[in-house]
Amino acid sequence: EDKVVQSPLSLVVHEGDTVTLNCSYEVTNFRSLLWYKQEKKAPTFLFMLTSSGIEKKSGRLSSILDKKELSSILNITATQTGDSAIYLCAGGGSGGGADGLTFGKGTHLIIQP
Amino acid sequence: EPEVTQTPSHQVTQMGQEVILRCVPISNHLYFYWYRQILGQKVEFLVSFYNNEISEKSEIFDDQFSVERPDGSNFTLKIRSTKLEDSAMYFCASSVYRGGYEQYFGPGTRLTVT
Protein backbone atom coordinates (compact mmCIF):
# COMPACT_ATOMS: atom_id res chain seq x y z
CA GLU A 1 0.00 0.00 0.00
CA ASP A 2 1.33 3.42 -0.94
CA LYS A 3 2.27 5.68 1.95
CA VAL A 4 3.31 9.29 2.46
CA VAL A 5 4.55 10.49 5.84
CA GLN A 6 5.06 14.13 6.75
CA SER A 7 6.89 15.67 9.65
CA PRO A 8 6.47 17.54 11.79
CA LEU A 9 2.69 17.35 12.02
CA SER A 10 2.57 20.85 13.44
CA LEU A 11 5.01 23.69 13.74
CA VAL A 12 4.78 27.12 15.34
CA VAL A 13 7.39 29.71 14.43
CA HIS A 14 7.77 33.46 14.47
CA GLU A 15 7.46 35.71 11.46
CA GLY A 16 10.78 35.96 9.66
CA ASP A 17 11.94 32.47 10.62
CA THR A 18 12.90 29.84 8.03
CA VAL A 19 11.11 26.50 8.16
CA THR A 20 11.77 23.11 6.62
CA LEU A 21 8.95 20.64 6.15
CA ASN A 22 9.69 16.98 5.49
CA CYS A 23 7.99 14.33 3.42
CA SER A 24 8.88 10.70 2.84
CA TYR A 25 7.09 8.44 0.41
CA GLU A 26 6.57 4.87 -0.71
CA VAL A 27 4.66 4.99 -3.97
CA THR A 28 4.34 2.18 -6.47
CA ASN A 29 5.67 3.19 -9.91
CA PHE A 30 6.61 6.55 -8.51
CA ARG A 31 6.44 9.44 -10.95
CA SER A 32 6.18 12.65 -8.97
CA LEU A 33 6.05 14.29 -5.57
CA LEU A 34 3.63 17.19 -5.24
CA TRP A 35 3.31 19.89 -2.60
CA TYR A 36 0.05 21.68 -1.89
CA LYS A 37 -0.94 24.47 0.47
CA GLN A 38 -4.32 24.07 2.17
CA GLU A 39 -5.71 27.13 3.83
CA LYS A 40 -9.43 27.14 4.41
CA LYS A 41 -10.55 24.61 1.89
CA ALA A 42 -8.97 23.55 -1.40
CA PRO A 43 -5.41 22.28 -1.66
CA THR A 44 -3.59 24.80 -3.84
CA PHE A 45 -0.82 23.43 -6.03
CA LEU A 46 2.70 24.58 -5.18
CA PHE A 47 5.29 22.29 -6.78
CA MET A 48 5.67 19.07 -8.68
CA LEU A 49 9.03 17.32 -8.46
CA THR A 50 10.08 14.46 -10.65
CA SER A 51 13.88 14.60 -10.77
CA SER A 52 16.25 14.16 -7.89
CA GLY A 53 18.39 17.08 -6.80
CA ILE A 54 16.73 19.77 -8.89
CA GLU A 55 15.35 22.55 -6.73
CA LYS A 56 12.08 24.16 -7.64
CA LYS A 57 11.61 27.69 -6.42
CA SER A 58 8.75 30.14 -6.20
CA GLY A 59 9.45 33.30 -4.28
CA ARG A 60 10.29 32.39 -0.71
CA LEU A 61 9.28 28.75 -1.19
CA SER A 62 11.55 26.07 -2.55
CA SER A 63 11.48 22.31 -2.70
CA ILE A 64 13.78 19.48 -3.64
CA LEU A 65 13.39 15.74 -4.17
CA ASP A 66 15.79 13.00 -3.11
CA LYS A 67 14.81 9.82 -4.95
CA LYS A 68 17.52 7.79 -3.29
CA GLU A 69 16.14 8.63 0.15
CA LEU A 70 12.52 8.63 -1.08
CA SER A 71 12.00 12.03 0.45
CA SER A 72 11.40 15.69 -0.22
CA ILE A 73 11.66 18.92 1.71
CA LEU A 74 9.78 22.18 1.40
CA ASN A 75 11.58 25.28 2.62
CA ILE A 76 9.97 28.59 3.39
CA THR A 77 12.29 31.51 4.12
CA ALA A 78 11.39 34.80 5.80
CA THR A 79 8.01 33.43 6.83
CA GLN A 80 4.97 35.68 6.95
CA THR A 81 1.66 35.25 8.74
CA GLY A 82 0.07 34.55 5.35
CA ASP A 83 2.16 31.38 5.14
CA SER A 84 0.10 29.89 7.96
CA ALA A 85 -1.63 26.86 6.46
CA ILE A 86 -1.53 23.10 6.25
CA TYR A 87 1.13 21.96 3.78
CA LEU A 88 0.32 18.69 2.07
CA CYS A 89 2.72 16.36 0.37
CA ALA A 90 1.38 13.84 -2.16
CA GLY A 91 2.94 11.05 -4.17
CA GLY A 92 1.91 10.37 -7.75
CA GLY A 93 2.52 7.24 -9.74
CA SER A 94 2.35 6.30 -13.37
CA GLY A 95 0.61 3.53 -15.19
CA GLY A 96 -2.34 1.46 -14.07
CA GLY A 97 -3.56 1.89 -10.52
CA ALA A 98 -1.85 5.23 -10.13
CA ASP A 99 -4.44 7.84 -11.03
CA GLY A 100 -5.03 9.01 -7.49
CA LEU A 101 -2.48 10.96 -5.50
CA THR A 102 -1.51 9.55 -2.11
CA PHE A 103 -1.50 12.30 0.47
CA GLY A 104 0.27 12.65 3.79
CA LYS A 105 -1.46 13.97 6.90
CA GLY A 106 0.02 17.41 6.34
CA THR A 107 2.11 19.80 8.39
CA HIS A 108 0.08 22.46 10.16
CA LEU A 109 2.29 25.54 10.07
CA ILE A 110 1.45 28.51 12.29
CA ILE A 111 3.39 31.75 11.88
CA GLN A 112 3.15 34.04 14.88
CA PRO A 113 3.62 37.79 14.36
CA GLU B 1 -6.75 32.04 -14.18
CA PRO B 2 -8.97 29.00 -14.83
CA GLU B 3 -10.09 27.12 -11.76
CA VAL B 4 -12.17 24.14 -10.73
CA THR B 5 -15.53 25.11 -9.29
CA GLN B 6 -17.83 23.07 -7.08
CA THR B 7 -21.41 23.41 -5.90
CA PRO B 8 -22.86 23.49 -3.36
CA SER B 9 -20.25 24.64 -0.87
CA HIS B 10 -22.14 22.97 1.96
CA GLN B 11 -24.82 20.30 1.83
CA VAL B 12 -26.72 18.93 4.80
CA THR B 13 -28.72 15.76 4.25
CA GLN B 14 -30.43 13.06 6.27
CA MET B 15 -29.11 9.54 6.45
CA GLY B 16 -30.45 7.43 3.61
CA GLN B 17 -30.99 10.34 1.24
CA GLU B 18 -29.32 10.70 -2.14
CA VAL B 19 -26.99 13.60 -2.80
CA ILE B 20 -25.35 14.89 -5.96
CA LEU B 21 -22.21 16.97 -5.75
CA ARG B 22 -21.31 19.03 -8.77
CA CYS B 23 -18.03 20.14 -10.26
CA VAL B 24 -16.92 22.08 -13.29
CA PRO B 25 -13.33 21.06 -14.13
CA ILE B 26 -10.86 23.32 -15.91
CA SER B 27 -11.97 23.43 -19.52
CA ASN B 28 -8.94 21.97 -21.31
CA HIS B 29 -8.36 19.23 -18.73
CA LEU B 30 -9.10 15.65 -19.70
CA TYR B 31 -8.86 13.76 -16.40
CA PHE B 32 -11.22 14.30 -13.50
CA TYR B 33 -11.06 13.07 -9.93
CA TRP B 34 -13.01 12.99 -6.72
CA TYR B 35 -11.29 12.95 -3.34
CA ARG B 36 -12.67 13.16 0.12
CA GLN B 37 -11.27 14.43 3.42
CA ILE B 38 -12.93 13.38 6.63
CA LEU B 39 -12.42 16.03 9.30
CA GLY B 40 -8.92 15.79 10.73
CA GLN B 41 -7.85 13.04 8.35
CA LYS B 42 -5.91 12.71 5.10
CA VAL B 43 -7.19 13.59 1.66
CA GLU B 44 -8.20 10.26 0.08
CA PHE B 45 -8.66 9.35 -3.56
CA LEU B 46 -12.09 8.08 -4.56
CA VAL B 47 -12.26 7.83 -8.35
CA SER B 48 -10.79 9.04 -11.61
CA PHE B 49 -12.69 9.61 -14.83
CA TYR B 50 -11.56 9.92 -18.42
CA ASN B 51 -13.31 9.81 -21.75
CA ASN B 52 -16.73 9.38 -20.16
CA GLU B 53 -15.88 6.38 -18.06
CA ILE B 54 -14.31 5.50 -14.76
CA SER B 55 -10.58 5.09 -15.13
CA GLU B 56 -9.79 3.90 -11.61
CA LYS B 57 -11.49 3.72 -8.25
CA SER B 58 -10.37 3.16 -4.70
CA GLU B 59 -11.79 0.72 -2.15
CA ILE B 60 -13.83 3.58 -0.69
CA PHE B 61 -15.74 4.00 -3.96
CA ASP B 62 -18.31 1.26 -3.45
CA ASP B 63 -21.68 0.67 -5.10
CA GLN B 64 -23.34 3.58 -3.33
CA PHE B 65 -21.15 6.01 -5.28
CA SER B 66 -21.39 6.87 -8.94
CA VAL B 67 -19.91 9.53 -11.21
CA GLU B 68 -21.15 11.06 -14.39
CA ARG B 69 -20.31 13.74 -16.90
CA PRO B 70 -23.85 14.67 -17.92
CA ASP B 71 -22.77 17.38 -20.35
CA GLY B 72 -19.61 18.97 -21.71
CA SER B 73 -18.77 20.87 -18.57
CA ASN B 74 -20.19 19.29 -15.41
CA PHE B 75 -18.79 16.31 -13.51
CA THR B 76 -20.92 14.88 -10.73
CA LEU B 77 -20.55 12.56 -7.77
CA LYS B 78 -23.71 10.84 -6.57
CA ILE B 79 -24.05 9.13 -3.23
CA ARG B 80 -27.14 6.95 -3.39
CA SER B 81 -28.01 6.37 0.25
CA THR B 82 -25.91 8.50 2.53
CA LYS B 83 -24.52 7.23 5.82
CA LEU B 84 -23.25 9.19 8.79
CA GLU B 85 -19.69 8.20 7.87
CA ASP B 86 -20.04 9.88 4.47
CA SER B 87 -19.79 13.24 6.25
CA ALA B 88 -16.64 14.79 4.82
CA MET B 89 -15.26 17.45 2.52
CA TYR B 90 -15.44 16.25 -1.07
CA PHE B 91 -12.94 17.72 -3.50
CA CYS B 92 -13.10 17.58 -7.26
CA ALA B 93 -9.84 17.85 -9.17
CA SER B 94 -8.78 17.89 -12.79
CA SER B 95 -5.58 17.51 -14.76
CA VAL B 96 -4.30 17.64 -18.29
CA TYR B 97 -2.42 14.38 -17.99
CA ARG B 98 -3.24 11.22 -16.11
CA GLY B 99 -2.26 10.44 -12.55
CA GLY B 100 0.99 11.72 -11.17
CA TYR B 101 0.87 15.16 -12.73
CA GLU B 102 -0.42 18.48 -11.43
CA GLN B 103 -3.96 18.00 -10.26
CA TYR B 104 -5.91 21.18 -9.55
CA PHE B 105 -8.49 21.07 -6.82
CA GLY B 106 -11.81 22.81 -6.42
CA PRO B 107 -12.88 24.51 -3.19
CA GLY B 108 -14.77 21.45 -2.00
CA THR B 109 -18.29 20.59 -0.86
CA ARG B 110 -18.75 19.99 2.83
CA LEU B 111 -21.28 17.18 3.19
CA THR B 112 -22.94 16.75 6.56
CA VAL B 113 -25.11 13.68 7.03
CA THR B 114 -27.42 13.80 10.05
Side-chain angles (χ1 to χ4, degrees):
Chain A
E1 186 183 325
D2 292 351
K3 193 166 64 171
V4 172
V5 178
Q6 293 186 245
S7 65
L9 292 181
S10 67
L11 185 57
V12 181
V13 300
H14 289 288
E15 212 168 10
D17 288 350
T18 293
V19 297
T20 298
L21 310 183
N22 302 288
C23 175
S24 64
Y25 63 88
E26 293 174 30
V27 174
T28 308
N29 295 324
F30 174 80
R31 189 201 169 269
S32 60
L33 192 290
L34 299 99
W35 285 96
Y36 288 86
K37 179 181 182 183
Q38 187 174 28
E39 293 178 89
K40 291 184 181 163
K41 287 189 178 178
T44 306
F45 174 77
L46 293 174
F47 298 112
M48 183 178 73
L49 305 151
T50 56
S51 301
S52 233
I54 298 174
E55 187 183 54
K56 289 229 173 161
K57 208 166 162 59
S58 175
R60 297 175 292 101
L61 277 68
S62 63
S63 184
I64 197 160
L65 178 66
D66 185 338
K67 280 181 158 179
K68 195 174 169 187
E69 297 295 327
L70 304 182
S71 66
S72 174
I73 60 171
L74 174 69
N75 283 317
I76 309 174
T77 59
T79 51
Q80 302 170 358
T81 53
D83 296 326
S84 295
I86 297 173
Y87 289 84
L88 301 174
C89 173
S94 62
D99 281 5
L101 301 177
T102 300
F103 280 85
K105 287 185 176 179
T107 293
H108 190 185
L109 177 64
I110 297 171
I111 311 296
Q112 291 182 337
Chain B
E1 187 175 324
E3 57 184 22
V4 177
T5 59
Q6 289 185 244
T7 54
S9 56
H10 191 191
Q11 171 107 38
V12 181
T13 190
Q14 289 193 325
M15 206 164 47
Q17 295 297 304
E18 175 184 286
V19 294
I20 297 176
L21 311 183
R22 292 183 167 79
C23 166
V24 178
I26 294 173
S27 61
N28 66 328
H29 287 189
L30 301 176
Y31 297 91
F32 314 127
Y33 313 85
W34 283 101
Y35 290 81
R36 80 170 184 193
Q37 186 176 33
I38 294 171
L39 191 62
Q41 297 188 25
K42 295 183 187 184
V43 176
E44 301 173 289
F45 169 72
L46 294 178
V47 66
S48 58
F49 193 85
Y50 169 70
N51 202 25
N52 281 319
E53 60 182 27
I54 289 175
S55 180
E56 288 175 11
K57 57 186 180 180
S58 72
E59 292 172 355
I60 302 167
F61 194 87
D62 61 23
D63 290 343
Q64 69 159 344
F65 291 96
S66 62
V67 288
E68 195 178 38
R69 189 155 163 85
D71 53 46
S73 58
N74 288 283
F75 177 51
T76 63
L77 174 70
K78 185 195 288 187
I79 309 175
R80 255 179 276 283
S81 177
T82 49
K83 304 180 198 131
L84 293 175
E85 54 264 37
D86 293 327
S87 294
M89 182 73 92
Y90 288 81
F91 292 110
C92 174
S94 67
S95 64
V96 174
Y97 304 108
R98 183 181 183 183
Y101 291 84
E102 298 100 321
Q103 294 184 15
Y104 292 89
F105 284 74
T109 292
R110 178 161 296 288
L111 177 65
T112 303
V113 182
T114 61

